[in-house]
């Protein structure tokens, strides 16, 4: 989502004379867009700001020019004024719900740069209503935020505090942005939300629509060929969406559905509001409707109070699901979340070992999922050139990176039929069958 927000900030600032630069050395404006979900996000932000201070000081010495520094994103939201206190060379602090005001905030930074501007409001006029900036050209695949925030309050997670309450963007604004993305050459759209499948809004027939209906509507856009979405919550996996995975040929056969743990005790302490069995039932149903779907997930090991028995239940759930790909993390405290003050925190050695076991199993499942595709035929979207001569990298319907060669110089953005020749941990290789 930060990637999307950064792109929108770029779009927004273009009419004000800014363009992207490859490095910060001679930048008039540096925006540090921060994420709070990973460990030590705050410390990392301050150390990055220290590096930026050195850059802007060097620039000032060499050229006499002073750069404007803005901190955006969820660490900005959480830290607010503290950022300016600890890093007084920062001019602007702007939260994820208020970055549409960046041009205004930049304009207000006074010529001697003494004016500091902080805007971490959750505005009553939603950001997207104000963010009708032009869309600049991007690659063949783009993100599109359709939902933000979270009301679920998992006890380990900082998102509800930094991104705010659940908000669904209205249908029309999503369709407009999708069309504008297609106009600049985008072929694949990934719909984004912290709880993307909780998206719900008034549809064209005035009924309440969910994500499945939205995807079906977007699929009517001719030149939009591949549709994806991330990240979903098990409780919001409704039948309409599951049916779209069977009926909508533009919706890719890939579902990222985090479960975090296979133990009901831990799920309860995490406030996930579902059991392991309920999660497995959903996966079963999704596979009933689309047997080929690739399942992905997120896991946290070493949540406070997690016993060896709980850990083995996670291993058992992973074996039952058989993931195509998944992310796994050691639990770490996020300031302000209930989990951070739970007693019975798990020690670091145990966390390391459990993470190792979970990751070994997930790695082997991913490799065998990839190996199963050898000799199959796949349509991939060509995303970019590889490092080797004539090499291209595309993305498969199952979200795998696929390497292939062609002496055609102009394939980026096209769909190519490949025969898969080999499979590795994180990628596939293929030979061209035909263009279409
Ligand atoms: N510790 C470890 N992992 C976390 N995640 C979120 N918060 C924490 C935390 N405190 C992981 C979850 C989530 C993913 C985006 O990040 O698995 O699904
Ligand atoms: Fe965080 Fe996702 Fe839980 Fe919301 S549902 S609190 S975003 S982990």
């Amino acid at each position: 989502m930060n990637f999307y927000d950064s792109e929108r900030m770029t779009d927004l600032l273009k009419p004000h004379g800014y363009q992207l630069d490859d490095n910060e050395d001679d930048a008039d404006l540096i925006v540090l867009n921060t994420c709070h979900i990973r460990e030590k996000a705050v410390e990392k932000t301050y150390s990055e700001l220290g590096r930026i201070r050195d850059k802007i000081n060097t620039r000032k010495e060499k050229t006499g020019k002073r750069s404007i520094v803005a901190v955006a994103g969820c660490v900005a939201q959480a830290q607010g004024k503290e950022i300016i206190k600890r890093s007084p060379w920062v001019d602007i602090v702007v939260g994820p719900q208020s970055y549409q005001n960046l041009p205004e905030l930049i304009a207000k930074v006074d010529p001697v740069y003494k004016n500091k501007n902080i805007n971490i409001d959750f505005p009553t006029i939603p950001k997207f209503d104000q963010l009708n900036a032009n869309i600049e050209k991007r690659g063949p695949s783009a993100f599109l935020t359709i939902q933000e925030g979270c009301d679920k309050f998992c006890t380990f997670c900082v998102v509800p505090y930094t991104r705010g309450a659940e908000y669904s963007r209205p249908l029309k604004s999503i369709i407009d942005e999708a069309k504008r993305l297609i106009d600049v050459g985008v072929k694949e759209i990934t719909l984004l939300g912290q709880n993307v499948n909780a998206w719900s809004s008034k549809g064209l027939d005035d009924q309440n629509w969910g994500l499945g209906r939205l995807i079906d509507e977007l699929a009517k856009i001719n030149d939009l060929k591949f549709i994806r979405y991330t990240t979903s919550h098990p409780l919001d996996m409704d039948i309409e969406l599951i049916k779209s995975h069977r009926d909508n040929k533009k919706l890719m056969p890939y579902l990222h559905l985090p479960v975090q743990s296979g133990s009901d005790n831990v799920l309860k302490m995490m406030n996930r509001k579902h059991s392991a069995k309920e999660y497995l039932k959903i996966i079963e149903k999704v596979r009933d409707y689309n047997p080929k779907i690739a399942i992905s997930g997120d896991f946290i090991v070493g949540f406070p109070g997690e016993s060896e028995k709980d850990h083995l239940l996670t291993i058992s759930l992973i074996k039952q699901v058989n993931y195509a790909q998944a992310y796994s993390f050691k639990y770490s405290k996020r300031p302000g979340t209930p989990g951070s003050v739970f007693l019975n925190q798990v020690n670091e050695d145990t966390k390391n070992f459990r993470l190792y076991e979970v990751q070994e199993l997930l790695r082997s499942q991913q490799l065998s999922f990839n190996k199963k595709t050898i000799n199959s035929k796949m349509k991939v979207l060509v995303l970019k050139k590889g490092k080797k001569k004539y090499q291209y990298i595309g993305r498969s319907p199952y979200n795998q990176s696929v390497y292939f060669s062609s002496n055609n110089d102009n394939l980026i953005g096209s769909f190519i039929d490949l025969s898969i020749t080999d499979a590795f941990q994180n990628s596939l290789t293929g030979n061209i069958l035909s263009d279409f």
Side-chain angles (χ1 to χ4, degrees):
M1 189 166 281
N2 273 34
F3 190 88
Y4 170 86
D5 288 339
S6 298
E7 278 188 331
R8 296 315 317 269
M9 288 180 211
T10 313
D11 290 342
L12 187 70
L13 293 171
K14 183 96 182 204
H16 298 270
Y18 288 95
Q19 61 184 50
L20 268 186
D21 204 339
D22 287 341
N23 67 61
E24 310 109 315
D25 292 349
D26 195 29
D28 295 316
L29 168 68
I30 299 175
V31 183
L32 182 64
N33 194 11
T34 59
C35 173
H36 206 314
I37 203 150
R38 293 280 162 262
E39 201 181 359
K40 301 202 174 89
V42 174
E43 290 89 322
K44 281 180 194 157
T45 299
Y46 285 112
S47 86
E48 189 68 8
L49 284 173
R51 207 182 54 79
I52 288 173
R53 176 198 49 205
D54 296 345
K55 294 254 176 196
I56 61 174
N57 284 347
T58 311
R59 182 179 189 231
K60 187 146 191 239
E61 273 162 31
K62 277 194 188 154
T63 65
K65 290 186 200 160
R66 168 78 148 84
S67 314
I68 298 177
V69 179
V71 184
C74 290
V75 177
Q77 184 68 41
Q79 291 279 296
K81 270 192 209 134
E82 186 66 18
I83 294 190
I84 306 252
K85 223 162 110 193
R86 282 180 61 176
S87 308
W89 55 95
V90 171
D91 302 292
I92 295 167
V93 176
V94 69
Q97 300 307 338
S98 37
Y99 67 77
Q100 71 281 13
N101 300 317
L102 257 181
E104 218 183 301
L105 295 171
I106 291 168
K108 277 198 210 149
V109 173
D110 84 16
V112 279
Y113 301 104
K114 293 228 172 83
N115 228 3
K116 304 294 181 188
N117 286 305
I118 301 179
N119 190 337
I120 50 173
D121 299 343
F122 285 97
T124 41
I125 304 173
K127 165 178 71 191
F128 297 108
D129 291 358
Q130 288 171 276
L131 197 67
N132 48 7
N134 65 318
I135 299 243
E136 292 298 317
K137 183 143 179 62
R138 10 175 120 0
S141 177
F143 291 122
L144 198 174
T145 294
I146 64 164
Q147 183 280 334
E148 278 192 282
C150 181
D151 297 338
K152 301 223 165 38
F153 291 93
C154 300
T155 52
F156 53 82
C157 184
V158 77
V159 165
Y161 310 99
T162 53
R163 286 267 168 181
E166 269 181 22
Y167 164 79
S168 288
R169 202 171 159 183
L171 179 71
K172 187 179 171 309
S173 126
I174 296 170
I175 293 179
D176 283 354
E177 189 167 320
K179 285 184 174 157
R180 287 192 286 149
L181 286 167
I182 300 307
D183 286 345
V184 297
V186 166
K187 303 283 167 49
E188 170 184 80
I189 290 181
T190 302
L191 305 172
L192 294 182
Q194 272 88 28
N195 272 281
V196 74
N197 58 341
W199 181 87
S200 163
S201 183
K202 202 148 80 170
L204 298 176
D205 54 4
D206 272 352
Q207 304 285 319
N208 230 24
W209 283 14
L211 182 60
R213 293 287 298 272
L214 170 65
I215 290 172
D216 291 345
E217 192 58 35
L218 287 170
K220 292 180 185 160
I221 304 174
N222 229 345
D223 288 333
L224 172 57
K225 303 288 186 194
F226 281 7
I227 303 174
R228 302 176 188 274
Y229 61 94
T230 199
T231 287
S232 300
H233 192 283
L235 288 187
D236 296 311
M237 208 61 221
D238 68 12
I239 189 69
E240 232 166 42
L241 179 58
I242 297 177
K243 278 187 180 158
S244 294
H245 274 290
R246 176 190 64 190
D247 301 333
N248 191 328
K249 298 301 165 226
K250 291 189 177 181
L251 178 59
M252 292 298 101
Y254 182 89
L255 172 63
H256 181 236
L257 196 64
V259 62
Q260 316 295 355
S261 168
S263 152
D264 288 347
N265 286 336
V266 175
L267 289 171
K268 205 157 180 207
M269 292 187 294
M270 288 176 164
N271 190 31
R272 288 290 292 181
K273 304 182 182 82
H274 61 78
S275 65
K277 211 176 191 170
E278 280 161 340
Y279 176 83
L280 289 168
K281 271 229 159 84
I282 297 165
I283 300 290
E284 198 182 308
K285 196 161 183 181
V286 170
R287 283 184 165 145
D288 275 351
Y289 278 81
N290 186 340
K292 284 192 163 172
I293 199 159
I295 304 290
S296 163
D298 288 351
F299 293 89
I300 295 178
V301 302
F303 186 78
E306 185 191 67
S307 67
E308 188 58 26
K309 200 171 141 214
D310 294 321
H311 170 62
L312 292 176
L313 287 167
T314 299
I315 297 282
S316 152
L317 179 139
I318 296 173
K319 286 184 179 157
Q320 287 176 74
V321 173
N322 195 10
Y323 286 89
Q325 188 270 346
Y327 304 95
S328 47
F329 313 96
K330 280 189 285 185
Y331 171 73
S332 70
K333 295 178 184 178
R334 300 289 181 272
T337 59
S340 67
V341 291
F342 284 178
L343 303 171
N344 55 21
Q345 299 280 332
V346 174
N347 74 53
E348 205 53 28
D349 284 350
T350 309
K351 280 191 208 169
N352 283 334
F353 189 67
R354 289 181 186 166
L355 185 68
Y356 171 80
E357 285 196 332
V358 162
Q359 292 191 334
E360 276 301 287
L361 179 57
L362 290 171
R363 258 196 289 271
S364 73
Q365 293 186 344
Q366 181 173 13
L367 185 61
S368 54
F369 180 85
N370 287 348
K371 292 268 184 217
K372 268 191 254 151
T373 63
I374 296 177
N375 292 328
S376 69
K377 197 179 119 177
M378 271 189 202
K379 200 174 289 307
V380 306
L381 171 59
V382 186
L383 295 178
K384 55 184 178 188
K385 292 221 159 129
K387 285 197 186 119
K388 294 184 190 155
K389 205 174 173 195
Y390 302 127
Q391 190 184 50
Y392 280 102
I393 306 173
R395 188 182 291 136
S396 82
Y398 305 105
N399 217 16
Q400 298 143 304
S401 292
V402 194
Y403 289 76
F404 68 97
S405 295
S406 167
N407 54 12
N408 182 334
D409 210 32
N410 207 10
L411 287 184
I412 293 172
S414 36
F415 291 88
I416 306 280
D417 282 333
L418 295 179
S419 160
I420 302 304
T421 49
D422 211 349
F424 308 93
Q425 186 65 50
N426 292 311
S427 63
L428 310 175
T429 53
N431 286 336
I432 295 188
L433 289 167
S434 69
D435 301 8
F436 91 105

